[in-house]
Amino acid sequence: MVLASVEQKSLSKAVYGWLLAGLVSILFAWLLSYLPTITNLGVIELSLPWVPQLGLTLSLYLDGLSLLFGLVILGIGAVIVVYAGYYFDEIADLARFYGLLMGFMGAMLALVLAGNVLTLFIAWELTSILSFLLISFYGTRTEARNGALQALIITGGGGLALLVGLVLMGTASGSMDLSQIISNSSLRDHPWYSAFTLLILIGCFSKSAQFPFHFWLPGAMSAPTPASAYLHSATMVKAGIYLLLRLAPTLGDTAFWQTALMSIGLLTMLIGAAFALRQRDLKAALAYSTISQLGALVALIGLPGEAGLEAALVGILAHALYKAALFLVVGAIDHSTGTRNLDELGGLARQLPGWAVVATMAGLSMGGLPPLLGFVAKESLLYAMLENPLALGIIVCSAAFTVTMALILVWDVFWGKREEPHHLHEASRGMLFAPAVLAGGSLLGGIQLQAFVAPLITPMIMHDLHLTLFAGFNTPLALSIVAIVGGVAIFAARNTWRTWTLPALPEGTQIYKSLVSGVEKIADLALRTQNGKLRYYLIVILGSVAILQASAGLGHLDNVKFEFNSGTDILRTLLLLLSLGATLASILYRKHLLAALALGLSGYCVGGLFLLEPAPDVALVQFMVETVGTVLLIVMLSRIDADERERAMNSLWKQSRAGLVRDIVIATVIGVGVGIFALSAVNHRQSVPETIATWHIEHSPDIGINDVVGAIVTDFRGMDTIIEITVFSVAALGVLTILAVPARKLHSPAGRLRVLRRFENAVLRRGTVLEVVHEPEAVHEDDKPLVSAFSTPLTRIMARFMLPFAFLVALTQLLYGGDAPGDGFTAGVITGLGVTLFYVVFGYHESHERLRWLNPRWLIGGGLALVIGNAIFPLLIGQSFLAHLSFDQIVLPANLHLSSTLVYETGIFLTVLGSISMVMEAIAYPKEVEPL
Amino acid sequence: MTPDNPLVLLPIFAPLSGAALCILMARYLRVQHAIGLTASSLAWVASLAILIQNWQGGLQVYRLGGYQPPYGIILAPDMLSALFEVMATTVVLCGTIYILGCHDKCVSLPAFMPLFLCMNAGLNGAFYTGDIFTLFVFQELMIMSSVVLVAISDNRLGVEAAIKYLLISAMGSLFLLMGIAAIYATFGTLTLADIARLLEGGERPLLAQAAAVVLMCAFLLKSAVFPFHFWQPDFHTAAPTPVHAVLSSVVVKVGVYGLIRLTMLLFIAEAPLVRSLLLILGVIGIFFGGLAALRTYDAKRMLAYSTFGQIGFILLGIGWGTPLALVGAIVYAFNHAFIKSSLLMITGAIASRMPNKSAKLIDIGGAGNQMRNVSILYFIGGLALTGIPR
Amino acid sequence: MNVLFAVATGIMFGLGVFQLLRRDMVKSAMGFYILFTAINLLFFAVGAFNGRVPAYVQAAETAQVSDPLVQALILTAIVISFGTYAILLGLISSSARRYRTADLDTLDHLKG
């Protein structure tokens, strides 16, 4: 990795390759040195905790199987690294490739050495991602991107299934440790067995390109050839095989396992071998033949007991050697002729003699001819399958096809007739080294079976290896001969069958494509639910709540006690009815103004109810808020364009009958639900008030406040109030800013700039350049005197007197808040109402001139700071935050107490006054308040 | 009895005082920035310290005004809240730093920083409070500030998104209030620990189940789970980038936090019902989010949709209910918060460098060529988002 | 009497939902306000113990008072809902200016 990133132009690219290969070989040798230990001990484990809570441990598990795979990964990796040094023309490409390749190598090693299924899974996913990156190595090509995405989706989807399967298996066996899972023999009888086995199989099959997931592999051939050789034939696609082999002792040997593996494996084998013949692209042909070999391996693992194990291991080794070599040869052909289309190639042996020899050797191994390792692999495959005639038939057919394929590769490309002279671009000699080593390995492995192959495989199988190159004349050999003869025959007749058109089978790629487009359609449907209509959203939400609530039950109503005592109850009932009637009226009125007034009336009735309870504090606040709210609504209405309001008003009853019925039904259902909920809540409360409020009543005198509600608001639950007034000032700030943001762009003709300055100052920063846009309306407004229609001499006098009066009332409420209804909040609202009256009567501009001393921003900020400061102050003198401090030693006249509560209330008063002024100021700008 | 720990106040009141100061200093952008950064850093440091103290000494408390728990308000961060809080303050701190270098016009409005800090305070308070009504109040603070922040966004559709969110989230607030009313009616107390104690000990009124469902709906709405999800893509997409980062990575987690509290602390007997619902909704969310993200070609919106899926996974964890799954859910929530916010900020940075300020994929295609480092970051983030290694 | 309050809560909630679902944004905002009033009624129904006197300390020793804590909660809820209402009205006004519509159904630029 480090080396790969070094970019030193002075060195030849190939040198990097050799250096890196050297490093990899050292690793290889190091791993190889474990061989004797493993042969003796069987397994080495190493474990480091990683995220113990998640069952993630970084444990290593090295046994014969991991060792074999690790050696294949490192050995072939080293060779590929050398090859890649010659393959890439651009040093930048090479660096990127090495980076990815080393990353992949690490991930793959982690996969085979992982001692924990979760670590294994992570490595598994990493290989998928690195494979994605390598396939899309030439990201500018469309087919590279599509192939990469397809591969990622298939293997990633399989990975997801694998994850679920592994987690289920881990849960079933009680441990995520591989060693414990393997040694657990009861998994086969677990009720979830079929579920997790199926999921794991899906994961393995998708990774190892088994039918019906096989089609991603040919699509992945847009990767640079060294990557194809390494990932997509020698290592990554074998990850599935590895996991199957790893889990076979635990999960295998059941009817389900055998059927699944045998059928899928054999089917894949046949399909791969047959489809390979139809490819004209050399790499695609090799990819299909890889699929076929992988199918054979899967089928072998599906055999009962350990019958197929030996054959599978030899097969892995043999296939890795010859297929990687062939890929590298194809890469070289592509490199030097610029094409890998079979139709354009032929007679290359003269130009590339060394390559021809290598290709022949590897090709013969693939075809399964003695004395190469491929032959041994095929013999042992046939030997393992002897019991099963159907399997034998399929294998022989596939073998024949494979022989044909090998002949096509070797004969047509290298030795056959040369069709036209190729424009050759000389392949470097060093490049030949890699495939030569691999092909040599095939040969050596075949001849010196006992010396080279047996030691690698022995640790895996309990008994001695009985592999030989030539085991005498037996059935497998006969079948082998049949296959070879058949293959040659098919090859001879290639000009005949090449013209055949096969019935158009639904190709995997097409299925994938239609699947993708189907998913996209569903996705579009899902997106269409997001239709932008708020009413529809609300209906869905309310409906779901109703359904959820109905399914959960609403509580019970068995003993509803209906009390109706005194005269006040009659009054209450009347008020209740009046309130409901007013609410209904606000629904029915088409005109906004009337509806707003009705709403106000309804709120006042609720206030009246509070008053009757008697809850004077709440009633006072309710009246105040109701007043401000109604004024606010009416003022706000004047800001909305009359035409738009008219249109909106007219739309009131103009919806379809079905829509109306739907709304009524929803409203009724929700209303009934909430009603029952409320009833059962009322029903559930204790008959005597045994709430924490009794404590509050007892302890209110301690802080010198008689009004218990006030005591709770200001002291016991003081923080609620701090946050509450913060919310209030956020609202004010919000209204101001929201209304000001478009104003910044729309209005502000130059003539008004002077008057506006203060408003702008509150909204914009000093130095902001105002964009002067002349709007027709705005200009003509300037012509009129800016006076409100409410502005009569009487109202003007009233407004002028009201404000000081309001301040007086506020002061009383502040000072005596502890003993009577009203507190800082109501004081603020009352004064705010006075300010509101100013704005209503005098209009925006005049009010501004008159209320210059009232800066809402300072009030809000100062008030909040005061409240928080008052809360922090006790902390400084060693008391609790927000603690009540009484300064009774300072004697004040008129029964006044000086305490922290007073400061607190003052802060609230300032904040609320500032907020209301700010809102009014914002709303009053820039249009005058007009009668509706 | 654990002594009061004044540090607990800092994550809430540092931003809150910062907001007050920012309102006073409205004219001076730099001063506001300095205040905001200080407040966020203080909150961050304090939240980390509280996490460490929690690790060593268990539950940290602060009794406001010195009143004992059931009668006064208590701030009681346990391990769970402390963890969520660290997540929140970290993202908010990053968001604040982003604001300093952000080119959006709305960020330079005088109201922006105070509102951002208020949102921050509401968020932190919602995690720390040990009182269910205060939870409501803090949530409202958070919602209101975020609504305004979105409404003043540079995006022309900010106001529309804000209206929709405000009305929909009002439903959530109503349900929360209903639940609080029912709880108070039954148990006569508002402190979470007290409610849990009473629920554990006493007889179980049927109302508890109804209250559990109502509260669950409120929290589901807050975390934008199907079928309460409609507001989320609109609201998040229209938000200014730093706000978007905070909204979609930690503000939705308030709902998640509430759900964990609901199933682990309060309604343990009702938990199977709630959990099975969560499982179903989580699976729907995963599929819906994945599908919708697939066909959305605006990077910000795509990330917003993918949040559905992520929240779905978290819900699966909560719904599964075993401690392991819960740990998984929390770890996942963390992962999501950090990665999603960083991705969003990168997207925002890219979009603001585009000539038309658009985050449509078609417009920002090829941006990777000019901003190589950024694209690598994005890729790493994208991988982490898909959960590798999970 | 509390039963009546509870029933009224239900009715008012239903009315509020209906009003909320109008196309007219102003009406929708009114619906929002009605809903919060309904919730205040619910709290009230929960906390009203047919008090004879206001919850003041001197009085509480002699006669039944309404639950003061619930009253405090209602106070907070009223203020918060009013703040939200103000923002909502501001938003509606702003939307009327920005998108030239006060009809919820035409406010659908954000979709998909």
Side-chain angles (χ1 to χ4, degrees):
Chain A
M1 276 268 231
V2 181
L3 266 182
S5 330
V6 179
E7 283 194 34
Q8 242 182 321
K9 291 247 163 95
S10 58
L11 281 169
S12 152
K13 290 174 285 136
V15 177
Y16 291 124
W18 285 101
L19 281 175
L20 207 54
L23 276 180
V24 177
S25 320
I26 292 170
L27 265 179
F28 178 82
W30 180 68
L31 195 60
L32 195 63
S33 69
Y34 278 97
L35 186 59
T37 331
I38 296 288
T39 318
N40 297 333
L41 282 178
V43 59
I44 302 177
E45 278 183 78
L46 177 75
S47 154
L48 300 163
W50 182 14
V51 190
Q53 293 91 340
L54 270 176
L56 266 181
T57 42
L58 197 64
S59 58
L60 295 180
Y61 187 87
L62 183 66
D63 68 349
L65 184 62
S66 328
L67 190 68
L68 176 68
F69 271 89
L71 290 176
V72 167
I73 291 163
L74 287 171
I76 299 203
V79 175
I80 299 277
V81 165
V82 173
Y83 180 88
Y86 297 96
Y87 181 82
F88 287 98
D89 294 328
E90 294 290 327
I91 186 97
D93 279 350
L94 183 69
R96 190 150 66 96
F97 180 80
Y98 276 157
L100 292 172
L101 194 76
M102 289 299 115
F104 172 80
M105 199 182 279
M108 198 64 208
L109 275 178
L111 197 160
V112 296
L113 293 179
N116 179 297
V117 286
L118 291 180
T119 353
L120 185 146
F121 173 75
I122 291 169
W124 180 285
E125 289 292 289
L126 267 180
T127 60
S128 286
I129 294 202
L130 286 161
S131 151
F132 166 79
L133 291 176
L134 280 167
I135 299 171
S136 60
F137 192 79
Y138 300 113
T140 44
R141 298 184 196 157
T142 318
E143 91 268 9
R145 282 205 306 271
N146 288 346
L149 194 62
Q150 179 175 315
L152 185 67
I153 287 176
I154 302 290
T155 50
L160 216 58
L162 179 73
L163 174 66
V164 178
L166 287 178
V167 168
L168 282 180
M169 183 175 73
T171 318
S173 76
S175 166
M176 291 287 175
D177 261 356
L178 207 51
S179 52
Q180 297 197 25
I181 289 176
I182 291 172
S183 57
N184 188 335
S185 57
S186 62
L187 275 179
R188 288 191 194 86
D189 308 320
H190 199 276
W192 299 350
Y193 170 78
S194 340
F196 60 69
T197 309
L198 182 66
L199 287 169
I200 291 174
L201 286 186
I202 290 176
C204 293
F205 286 174
S206 62
K207 191 84 164 178
S208 290
Q210 295 298 295
F211 179 85
F213 307 110
H214 62 276
F215 54 89
W216 71 264
L217 191 56
M221 287 302 140
S222 34
T225 305
S228 303
Y230 191 46
L231 271 72
H232 305 124
S233 83
T235 55
M236 189 186 91
V237 289
K238 300 255 171 62
I241 306 290
Y242 166 76
L243 192 60
L244 288 177
L245 276 171
R246 173 61 78 212
L247 296 175
T250 336
L251 302 179
D253 263 348
T254 60
F256 174 61
W257 175 273
Q258 288 171 10
T259 329
L261 263 66
M262 285 290 276
S263 53
I264 295 288
L266 288 172
L267 191 60
T268 310
M269 185 179 182
L270 188 62
I271 288 180
F275 275 34
L277 294 181
R278 296 198 51 78
Q279 304 302 319
R280 305 312 293 159
D281 178 0
L282 278 174
K283 275 181 87 175
L286 286 178
Y288 273 108
S289 109
T290 303
I291 293 174
S292 166
Q293 293 304 313
L294 291 169
L297 294 175
V298 167
L300 279 172
I301 302 169
L303 284 175
E306 302 210 325
L309 187 58
E310 187 185 301
L313 294 175
V314 179
I316 288 165
L317 212 54
H319 178 250
L321 287 173
Y322 71 70
K323 194 51 72 58
L326 283 175
F327 264 113
L328 296 184
V329 170
V330 169
I333 293 173
D334 193 8
H335 201 250
S336 52
T337 66
T339 178
R340 37 178 219 245
N341 190 325
L342 269 174
D343 294 326
E344 296 169 19
L345 293 168
L348 286 179
R350 247 161 296 161
Q351 281 105 331
L352 305 166
W355 293 95
V357 174
V358 168
T360 311
M361 222 142 58
L364 291 182
S365 181
M366 169 172 155
L369 287 163
L372 295 144
L373 193 55
F375 172 72
V376 184
K378 191 173 63 181
E379 287 302 289
S380 46
L381 169 65
L382 286 166
Y383 182 78
M385 293 281 180
L386 267 184
E387 315 287 317
N388 192 334
L390 178 66
L392 277 184
I394 292 177
I395 291 171
V396 171
C397 274
S398 315
F401 289 149
T402 309
V403 170
T404 313
M405 192 65 237
L407 284 173
I408 290 175
L409 277 178
V410 174
W411 185 262
D412 278 0
V413 175
F414 283 99
W415 307 105
K417 239 198 325 202
R418 173 181 177 177
E419 271 134 37
E420 56 198 79
H422 286 287
H423 192 72
L424 276 186
H425 154 87
E426 182 60 33
S428 157
R429 191 162 303 160
M431 209 167 175
L432 188 56
F433 169 79
V437 167
L438 294 173
S442 286
L443 183 63
L444 220 58
I447 297 169
Q448 293 294 327
L449 203 54
Q450 290 301 336
F452 288 98
V453 180
L456 292 178
I457 295 177
T458 336
M460 269 302 292
I461 35 188
M462 299 305 126
H463 51 85
D464 280 341
L465 198 69
H466 51 101
L467 276 180
T468 44
L469 183 58
F470 185 69
F473 197 81
N474 52 15
T475 333
L477 187 61
L479 288 170
S480 220
I481 291 170
V482 170
I484 290 168
V485 172
V488 173
I490 299 173
F491 175 70
R494 65 187 182 282
N495 289 327
T496 326
W497 53 255
R498 199 169 285 163
T499 52
W500 293 353
T501 43
L502 283 179
L505 283 170
E507 276 259 353
T509 319
Q510 282 161 5
I511 298 173
Y512 165 80
K513 273 184 187 148
S514 57
L515 213 66
V516 166
S517 75
V519 166
E520 284 178 348
K521 284 209 183 84
I522 299 172
D524 286 343
L525 265 181
L527 273 184
R528 210 166 300 152
T529 60
Q530 194 81 23
N531 68 354
K533 302 249 190 287
L534 180 62
R535 296 197 311 142
Y536 150 82
Y537 296 167
L538 287 172
I539 288 171
V540 171
I541 287 171
L542 289 171
S544 334
V545 174
I547 292 168
L548 283 178
Q549 196 56 270
S551 59
L554 282 162
H556 60 141
L557 301 171
D558 44 2
N559 52 346
V560 175
K561 285 191 295 281
F562 189 78
E563 299 163 12
F564 200 84
N565 315 340
S566 54
T568 37
D569 275 2
I570 301 173
L571 199 53
R572 281 179 188 150
T573 319
L574 277 177
L575 273 176
L576 214 48
L577 287 178
L578 191 59
S579 162
L580 290 177
T583 313
L584 189 63
S586 84
I587 293 178
L588 295 177
Y589 277 131
R590 197 183 64 88
K591 289 267 182 203
H592 284 152
L593 184 63
L594 292 176
L597 290 178
L599 191 67
L601 178 62
S602 149
Y604 269 104
C605 292
V606 173
L609 282 172
F610 290 151
L611 196 59
L612 282 180
E613 176 51 26
D617 301 78
V618 186
L620 188 59
V621 170
Q622 173 79 18
F623 288 140
M624 293 290 158
V625 164
E626 205 55 57
T627 316
V628 183
T630 310
V631 172
L632 192 65
L633 180 57
I634 293 174
V635 175
M636 194 65 87
L637 285 177
S638 70
R639 287 182 61 87
I640 303 178
D641 207 42
D643 292 345
E644 280 147 28
R645 266 194 319 118
E646 192 60 34
R647 238 181 296 143
M649 278 194 254
N650 287 334
S651 71
L652 180 57
W653 303 115
K654 270 192 188 151
Q655 56 179 321
S656 66
R657 189 164 287 267
L660 207 58
V661 169
R662 175 200 60 200
D663 290 354
I664 291 174
V665 167
I666 290 268
T668 317
V669 168
I670 299 283
V672 169
V674 172
I676 297 176
F677 189 90
L679 269 179
S680 88
V682 168
N683 221 18
H684 270 95
R685 60 173 205 182
Q686 290 93 340
S687 44
V688 259
E690 274 177 6
T691 64
I692 51 175
T694 31
W695 185 91
H696 291 138
I697 295 174
E698 280 163 27
H699 286 77
S700 285
D702 299 356
I703 54 171
I705 299 179
N706 269 329
D707 181 352
V708 185
V709 178
I712 294 175
V713 167
T714 55
D715 276 289
F716 299 130
R717 297 182 67 84
M719 193 168 70
D720 277 355
T721 315
I722 297 184
I723 305 301
E724 165 202 314
I725 59 159
T726 316
V727 170
F728 207 74
S729 32
V730 163
L733 217 56
V735 172
L736 177 74
T737 320
I738 290 167
L739 292 180
V741 166
R744 179 172 49 155
K745 289 179 192 156
L746 286 177
H747 304 232
S748 65
R752 272 205 261 162
L753 261 178
R754 192 178 48 85
V755 195
L756 295 182
R757 189 171 304 130
R758 210 180 100 217
F759 178 72
E760 302 291 359
N761 270 344
V763 179
L764 302 173
R765 269 172 220 298
R766 186 177 287 167
T768 311
V769 182
L770 290 164
E771 301 166 43
V772 181
V773 183
H774 281 277
E775 270 215 350
E777 297 165 313
V779 172
H780 109 131
E781 247 178 85
D782 262 353
D783 304 339
K784 285 194 296 186
L786 301 167
V787 190
S788 153
F790 281 121
S791 182
T792 64
L794 182 66
T795 50
R796 293 170 79 95
I797 291 172
M798 253 178 68
R800 227 175 288 168
F801 276 103
M802 276 303 273
L803 195 58
F805 183 66
F807 268 108
L808 208 62
V809 175
L811 192 63
T812 341
Q813 292 207 337
L814 276 183
L815 294 178
Y816 296 100
D819 300 320
D823 50 14
F825 183 80
T826 49
V829 178
I830 289 172
T831 328
L833 276 173
V835 174
T836 309
L837 194 63
F838 250 74
Y839 276 99
V840 172
V841 170
F842 292 110
Y844 177 77
H845 304 299
E846 198 178 342
S847 307
H848 246 305
E849 294 298 322
R850 286 175 183 275
L851 300 178
R852 193 167 278 285
W853 45 273
L854 189 84
N855 186 337
R857 191 161 57 79
W858 284 96
L859 287 178
I860 295 180
L864 278 180
L866 192 61
V867 169
I868 297 171
N870 176 53
I872 295 174
F873 180 68
L875 210 55
L876 301 179
I877 57 169
Q879 301 258 11
S880 280
F881 186 81
L882 255 179
H884 177 85
L885 296 178
S886 188
F887 307 103
D888 278 338
Q889 51 273 44
I890 306 172
V891 183
L892 288 177
N895 209 8
L896 287 175
H897 305 290
L898 191 61
S899 69
S900 62
T901 312
L902 187 64
V903 184
Y904 185 80
E905 295 278 23
T906 314
I908 293 177
F909 164 70
L910 293 178
T911 314
V912 173
L913 173 62
S915 301
I916 293 184
S917 315
M918 189 180 258
V919 170
M920 285 305 156
E921 184 175 323
I923 290 179
Y925 169 86
K927 273 191 178 174
E928 295 305 314
V929 181
E930 295 160 349
L932 290 159
Chain B
M1 199 166 79
T2 9
D4 282 346
N5 180 359
L7 216 51
V8 176
L9 297 168
L10 214 48
I12 299 168
F13 284 95
L16 214 54
S17 351
L21 287 179
C22 279
I23 294 174
L24 291 175
M25 294 286 146
R27 301 267 181 86
Y28 312 101
L29 186 61
R30 298 235 161 268
V31 178
Q32 278 195 336
H33 280 175
I35 295 171
L37 196 61
T38 317
S40 304
S41 323
L42 276 178
W44 182 65
V45 171
S47 70
L48 273 181
I50 288 163
L51 182 69
I52 293 164
Q53 287 174 350
N54 238 307
W55 192 278
Q56 291 163 347
L59 185 72
Q60 302 293 310
V61 291
Y62 198 89
R63 303 170 191 81
L64 289 163
Y67 301 111
Q68 283 312 307
Y71 312 115
I73 295 174
I74 185 174
L75 297 175
D78 63 353
M79 200 65 204
L80 181 70
S81 352
L83 270 172
F84 271 87
E85 177 63 22
V86 168
M87 173 178 98
T89 47
T90 312
V91 173
V92 168
L93 182 60
C94 297
T96 317
I97 294 170
Y98 186 94
I99 288 174
L100 302 187
C102 182
H103 293 302
D104 294 1
K105 278 201 201 103
C106 61
V107 167
S108 60
L109 287 174
F112 190 89
M113 194 46 104
L115 288 169
F116 191 76
L117 288 172
C118 280
M119 177 171 81
N120 194 348
L123 184 66
N124 298 346
F127 284 133
Y128 270 1
T129 183
D131 185 289
I132 194 164
F133 191 77
T134 315
L135 177 69
F136 160 77
V137 179
F138 275 124
Q139 268 198 14
E140 286 303 305
L141 180 60
M142 189 177 81
I143 291 170
M144 303 266 280
S145 327
S146 58
V147 161
V148 178
L149 284 172
V150 171
I152 62 175
S153 147
D154 284 2
N155 191 328
R156 213 182 144 267
L157 297 176
V159 170
E160 179 187 337
I163 290 182
K164 289 179 177 173
Y165 176 59
L166 190 57
L167 280 178
I168 292 178
S169 82
M171 300 299 110
S173 310
L174 288 174
F175 298 138
L176 191 54
L177 280 177
M178 274 170 71
I180 293 172
I183 284 176
Y184 188 75
T186 331
F187 304 113
T189 179
L190 293 168
T191 312
L192 287 172
D194 215 24
I195 300 167
R197 186 175 55 78
L198 288 169
L199 270 167
E200 210 176 352
E203 92 275 36
R204 309 195 53 79
L206 265 172
L207 184 65
Q209 196 165 349
V213 172
V214 170
L215 287 176
M216 186 189 79
C217 289
F219 290 130
L220 286 178
L221 214 152
K222 289 281 175 305
S223 48
V225 178
F226 179 92
F228 308 101
H229 60 279
F230 298 105
W231 56 272
Q232 194 251 45
D234 299 351
F235 190 62
H236 286 179
T237 314
T241 304
V243 181
H244 186 180
V246 176
L247 283 180
S248 75
S249 59
V250 284
V251 172
V252 289
K253 300 287 160 44
V254 174
V256 170
Y257 169 78
L259 288 171
I260 296 180
R261 275 270 173 274
L262 203 62
T263 51
M264 297 301 287
L265 180 68
L266 292 185
F267 295 101
I268 297 166
E270 283 76 17
L273 173 82
V274 175
R275 284 199 182 125
S276 51
L277 278 171
L278 289 185
L279 276 179
I280 298 167
L281 294 179
V283 170
I284 296 176
I286 291 168
F287 278 99
F288 181 80
L291 284 173
L294 193 66
R295 291 296 275 177
T296 309
Y297 296 106
D298 178 303
K300 278 182 107 179
R301 215 168 163 82
M302 189 166 83
L303 288 173
Y305 273 119
S306 89
T307 300
F308 288 148
Q310 323 292 330
I311 296 285
F313 277 114
I314 297 170
L315 288 193
L316 278 190
I318 302 172
W320 198 255
T322 60
L324 181 68
L326 215 60
V327 171
I330 294 168
V331 170
Y332 196 89
F334 252 75
N335 178 37
H336 172 246
F338 294 145
I339 300 306
K340 188 50 82 59
S341 54
S342 65
L343 276 185
L344 280 170
M345 288 185 212
I346 296 170
T347 314
I350 294 175
S352 69
R353 274 166 184 70
M354 290 291 123
N356 53 355
K357 310 267 179 208
S358 151
K360 294 241 171 10
L361 284 185
I362 199 157
D363 288 333
I364 61 177
N369 293 335
Q370 293 137 33
M371 294 173 253
R372 193 147 271 262
N373 295 334
V374 176
S375 68
I376 292 169
L377 279 177
Y378 204 93
F379 182 73
I380 295 172
L383 283 186
L385 197 58
T386 48
I388 300 153
R390 190 157 69 215
Chain C
M1 198 57 221
N2 288 331
V3 174
L4 271 188
F5 276 134
V7 173
T9 303
I11 297 174
M12 197 170 259
F13 208 93
L15 290 175
V17 167
F18 185 79
Q19 182 82 311
L20 184 75
L21 293 178
R22 298 303 85 214
R23 281 176 65 174
D24 185 351
M25 276 187 214
V26 178
K27 287 266 183 169
S28 226
M30 290 179 186
F32 167 89
Y33 198 70
I34 296 172
L35 284 174
F36 273 95
T37 314
I39 288 294
N40 288 341
L41 268 184
L42 170 65
F43 267 100
F44 198 59
V46 163
F49 285 98
N50 280 325
R52 294 272 174 270
V53 286
Y56 287 167
V57 173
Q58 309 95 325
E61 285 152 14
T62 54
Q64 173 77 64
V65 296
S66 263
D67 194 330
L69 183 59
V70 167
Q71 295 181 32
L73 298 189
I74 297 177
L75 274 183
T76 309
I78 290 177
V79 175
I80 288 180
S81 61
F82 175 71
T84 320
Y85 184 58
I87 287 196
L88 184 58
L89 290 176
L91 284 174
I92 288 174
S93 157
S94 170
S95 119
R97 253 205 289 176
R98 204 183 270 197
Y99 316 119
R100 300 261 150 234
T101 179
D103 181 349
L104 270 185
D105 274 10
T106 56
L107 195 69
D108 59 353
H109 309 287
L110 280 164
K111 59 182 165 193

